[in-house]
Amino acid sequence: MQNPVFDYSKLRGRIREICGTQDAFADAIGLGRVSVSQRLNNQLEFSQKEMIRAADVLLFPHSDIPEYFFREKVQKHELR
């Protein structure tokens, strides 16, 4: 079974809204720019601690974490 691919578009929008850039967001949560990019591109997973820090920095309640971090990307499949 394949690992789920998460849709981080809502998280990316919130990062732009609150921090301006991914670099500023990375600094705010204590990660490197490349580490954040790898997570937002589904190459690495966010840890629970990183999700909580992100929620705090981006000013959304911890109860909204699933909306930002666990929304699965809808895969387009060809019908034959």
Side-chain angles (χ1 to χ4, degrees), residues 30-52:
L31 287 176
R33 177 182 54 84
V34 173
S35 293
V36 169
S37 179
Q38 289 172 322
R39 285 160 174 76
L40 291 173
N41 289 308
N42 283 284
Q43 295 167 340
L44 292 176
E45 294 179 359
F46 283 95
S47 71
Q48 186 175 1
K49 188 175 173 182
E50 291 162 353
M51 289 181 226
I52 291 168

Side-chain angles (χ1 to χ4, degrees), residues 10-74:
K10 185 171 182 172
L11 180 61
R12 288 175 188 272
R14 191 71 177 190
I15 289 168
R16 278 191 298 276
E17 182 184 329
I18 302 296
C19 295
T21 66
Q22 280 185 29
D23 286 0
F25 172 68
D27 287 344
I29 66 167
L31 287 176
R33 177 182 54 84
V34 173
S35 293
V36 169
S37 179
Q38 289 172 322
R39 285 160 174 76
L40 291 173
N41 289 308
N42 283 284
Q43 295 167 340
L44 292 176
E45 294 179 359
F46 283 95
S47 71
Q48 186 175 1
K49 188 175 173 182
E50 291 162 353
M51 289 181 226
I52 291 168
R53 279 196 307 230
D56 293 343
V57 166
L58 298 175
L59 308 172
F60 62 83
H62 295 177
S63 60
D64 285 355
I65 285 174
E67 285 182 48
Y68 287 90
F69 290 95
F70 297 109
R71 181 179 288 168
E72 286 193 44
K73 193 172 271 190
V74 177

